[in-house]
Amino acid sequence: MKVVTIASYKGGVGKTTLSANIGAAIARMGRRVLLVDLDPQANLTLNFYDAETWQAGLADRRRTVKAWFESWRPHTAPPPLAGYVTTPPAAAAVIAEGGGRLDLLGSHTALGDIEMDLVGRLGGAQAHRSTRYYFDVYQQLALGLASFDPSDYDLVILDCPSHFGVITRAAVAACDHLLIPSRPDNQSTLGVEHLMRRLGRFVWEYNRVAELQSGLHPVVKPLEPRLLGVVLTMVQYYRGAPTRFLRPHIEGARQLGIPVFDAMLRVNNRGFAGAVDLPLPAVLSPDLTLDLARELFGLVEEFLVRIGAARGEAAPVEDAAVPVTSAWMS
Ligand SMILES: Nc1ncnc2c1ncn2[C@@H]1O[C@H](COP(=O)(O)OP(=O)(O)OP(=O)(O)O)[C@@H](O)[C@H]1O
Ligand SMILES: [Mg+2]
């Protein structure tokens, strides 16, 4: 079971679009995928449920990640996540053809309250100074995912909110790979730099606290997440090729030592609006055009090679994923 966190510092760069479409495409190819919506905006959830069904079937019936977080009691193991997972029916109908499976742990608009509770439990932003609940908070999601049988899912994707808060950090602590979407503009490129610094600092801090508390927490393994790289989204093309404004953003990321996916997503307002009358992401939509299908499945193939889960003879990518390092802190 591979766990990939999709995160960014800048909002609206395509995290949720990538989570929904990469996850659904891989499920459609016959694999078992779990999507986890960690954003109180619940956009990922709303890619798979209409608003009424989400309210009545998930939010009111406590089938959300918020309800799961709420059920946590200090110093006890979190309850198994499986009881909070749903199978979105419209997506399941399309995916079943290929023998795959797509499940979702939906979000709730009040997930932000949980985040505040978790911050309170940690003792504030300078959490490492008051470490009593440090691992209770940051390991909770990882333990929740560990409650699945490894054969339940081939891939788990964690879609994060656009800030580096406690829930995003818990996702970093629960994953083995990270993916950063970015738009080719200056603010998004700066956002990638900010995120790398925060990632480097968090992984360093976590491992340092684990070291200091090794007598108290013998089970804490050091974090070693690997960065798959940046996926450029909403790219403008001119006469069949990306505009020249793209180059500095690719070079910028490479200079920081971050891999950049060869595949990218073009601006496609109609294509990413989803299906007209069904809650389905673009890749499962009956209106999916051949061009967008090629683009999405091309990206998915590169993604599978980079996480080391491609079938067949795919050659390993040289810079497939780089370790998150404390050198990024400065
Ligand atoms: N390639 C694209 N072309 C056109 N529109 C896109 C493309 N990718 C995403 N969008 C649209 O841009 C908006 C933002 O995308 P998305 O929700 O995936 O970003 P996000 O990073 O998850 O945002 P947030 O920070 O709010 O969680 C959405 O309305 C989405 O449908
Ligand atoms: Mg989002």
Side-chain angles (χ1 to χ4, degrees):
M1 187 169 95
K2 307 249 180 200
V3 182
V4 178
T5 288
I6 302 193
S8 73
Y9 214 71
K10 172 95 172 62
V13 293
K15 291 180 294 301
T16 301
T17 303
L18 286 182
S19 302
N21 284 287
I22 291 177
I26 291 173
R28 195 172 191 172
M29 290 159 75
R31 304 208 197 173
R32 290 149 304 169
V33 177
L34 172 67
L35 297 176
V36 181
D37 188 352
L38 294 173
D39 187 346
Q41 294 184 94
N43 289 338
L44 180 62
T45 310
L46 294 170
N47 263 265
F48 294 95
Y49 288 99
D50 60 54
E52 293 77 40
T53 314
W54 164 75
Q55 186 65 49
L58 277 71
D60 293 351
R61 297 180 64 197
R62 300 183 50 78
R63 301 286 298 271
T64 66
V65 70
K66 171 181 173 272
W68 177 77
F69 270 113
E70 274 171 342
S71 63
W72 181 79
R73 298 285 168 270
H75 304 306
T76 61
L81 267 178
Y84 297 81
V85 163
T86 61
T87 306
V94 185
I95 284 163
E97 293 165 20
R101 178 168 147 195
L102 183 76
D103 288 345
L104 174 79
L105 180 56
S107 190
H108 191 289
T109 46
L111 185 62
D113 297 347
I114 297 288
E115 178 127 36
M116 287 179 68
D117 286 348
L118 292 175
V119 172
R121 230 170 250 166
L122 273 174
Q126 298 298 322
H128 53 289
R129 296 206 183 130
S130 140
T131 51
R132 198 159 159 229
Y133 293 113
Y134 190 89
F135 293 114
D136 275 342
V137 169
Y138 286 135
Q139 278 198 315
Q140 193 178 351
L141 194 56
L143 291 172
L145 293 176
S147 69
F148 288 113
D149 191 283
S151 63
D152 284 345
Y153 297 107
D154 301 306
L155 173 70
V156 179
I157 296 182
L158 308 175
D159 179 27
C160 293
S162 296
H163 61 91
F164 202 68
V166 177
I167 289 190
T168 303
R169 289 169 210 226
V172 172
C175 75
D176 31 58
H177 288 99
L178 286 143
L179 182 74
I180 308 179
S182 179
R183 295 174 64 154
D185 62 42
N186 291 341
Q187 287 179 359
S188 305
T189 304
L190 207 59
V192 175
E193 268 180 62
H194 289 320
L195 182 65
M196 283 180 62
R197 277 198 215 110
R198 307 309 300 268
L199 277 171
R201 178 168 290 282
F202 172 64
V203 169
W204 174 83
E205 174 198 287
Y206 184 104
N207 291 344
R208 181 88 185 111
V209 177
E211 207 177 290
L212 292 173
Q213 297 201 1
S214 53
L216 299 172
H217 290 277
V219 288
V220 176
K221 282 205 319 224
L223 295 185
E224 294 171 332
R226 296 179 78 84
L227 184 54
L228 291 174
V230 170
V231 172
L232 290 163
T233 65
M234 300 182 221
V235 174
Q236 295 277 3
Y237 269 48
Y238 180 67
R239 293 193 178 167
T243 59
R244 64 191 168 83
F245 300 111
L246 191 68
R247 195 111 297 275
H249 301 289
I250 296 179
E251 293 308 324
R254 291 216 169 111
Q255 271 166 20
L256 293 168
I258 318 180
V260 181
F261 275 59
D262 294 326
M264 52 185 77
L265 293 186
R266 297 181 221 195
V267 175
N268 186 336
N269 293 333
R270 187 188 278 191
F272 285 102
V276 176
D277 49 4
L278 287 168
L280 289 173
V283 78
L284 300 183
S285 165
D287 311 320
L288 178 68
T289 62
L290 199 57
D291 276 354
L292 186 53
R294 273 201 200 108
E295 203 165 285
L296 286 169
F297 281 99
L299 172 66
V300 164
E301 265 167 37
E302 188 174 348
F303 173 89
L304 288 171
V305 171
R306 285 181 183 266
I307 61 168
R311 285 197 177 128
E313 297 294 307
V317 177
E318 275 298 298
D319 62 351
V322 297
V324 171
T325 151
S326 58
W328 298 345
M329 275 163 43
S330 54

